[in-house]
Amino acid sequence: MKMEQGIQLIDGNGKFNVDGLKDFMTATEFAQSGLSYAIVAIIGSQSSGKSTLMNQTFHTNFEEMDAYKGRGQTTKGIWIAKCSDIDPFTIAMDFEGTDSNIQRGEDDTAFEKQSTLFALAIADVVLINMWYKDIGLENAASRPLLKTVFQTPLEHLKADLLKDIEKIWAAVAEPETLCSAPLGEFFNVEITALPHYEFQEEKFKEQVAQLRQRFVHSIYPGGLVGDRQEVEPASGFPLRAEEIWKIIKDNRDLDLPAVKVY
């Protein structure tokens, strides 16, 4: 079993792969990591390049979109793989894209919302992959707008995106005990811009190599998640992941509100 390619942890119908995860734990010896491990998940829209980014950053082998066959869904459900040559032991999780064309009955967005909650609950780092052109926009941008975006300094884009994030946080219906809590109390938000993979492949790879270094020694003091708390042993990951998914699937109170995707 090639662990860089990984296994499908949860299929498109929401079924948790208990046996597959057991085999994964054995093949990778993940359980022997103790508390020395990190989990990185990626979410974002369909065909935005999530699998490509994960493969380039963590040397995994998730299936990628074939551009010659047109844009369409590649990743179905949730996949898990071992990252190659990174200390500490790092697990990569590739999530089905939002706004997918899979039909799931009454609520086509249910799986998207549930899987997003799962990513937040299980991962130390959640990468949200998005295009420049979508920053601050409800609808996809046209080519003239795209040109404007590319000519905008990165720091301005970061500022705009952080403003959007703060607005979203302020609008969330929170418990009264947390209504005045700042976003930074719960999340460390960082923004990284990368060149277009198809148009600037070499520059993309150079900057992804720099991004990869952020995940080396990520759990140590001063590292990317050096301030994380209440870490559980790696040996308990299978049971923990299964229980979290079951709670999310069974408890509608934990579900995210429905949103219209443009």
Side-chain angles (χ1 to χ4, degrees), residues 24-122:
F24 178 87
M25 297 291 293
T26 301
T28 61
E29 299 183 343
F30 180 22
Q32 280 67 56
S33 299
L35 302 178
S36 183
Y37 69 93
I39 298 175
V40 183
I42 189 166
I43 60 177
S45 62
Q46 176 182 304
S47 303
S48 63
K50 298 185 303 301
S51 300
T52 299
L53 179 58
M54 294 299 269
N55 289 341
Q56 293 289 329
T57 305
F58 300 109
H59 300 174
T60 49
N61 193 28
F62 294 120
E63 184 179 2
E64 299 179 13
M65 182 187 72
D66 186 342
Y68 291 102
K69 295 181 179 179
R71 294 173 63 85
Q73 186 181 55
T74 302
T75 303
K76 297 180 181 179
I78 300 171
W79 288 72
I80 182 173
K82 176 186 177 182
C83 301
S84 178
D85 302 323
I86 286 186
D87 176 29
F89 191 110
T90 301
I91 294 295
M93 302 184 74
D94 192 14
F95 282 63
E96 177 180 311
T98 58
D99 195 23
S100 67
N101 56 9
I102 289 183
Q103 300 298 316
R104 293 189 172 95
E106 295 182 1
D107 188 356
D108 289 342
T109 65
F111 185 83
E112 296 176 5
K113 295 180 287 182
Q114 292 165 349
S115 60
T116 298
L117 283 174
F118 184 70
L120 291 171
I122 201 71

Side-chain angles (χ1 to χ4, degrees), residues 123-144:
D124 298 297
V125 178
V126 178
L127 303 176
I128 303 176
N129 196 46
M130 63 185 298
W131 292 95
Y132 267 179
K133 65 182 179 61
D134 293 331
I135 296 176
L137 302 174
E138 290 291 340
N139 299 288
S142 61
R143 291 182 67 89

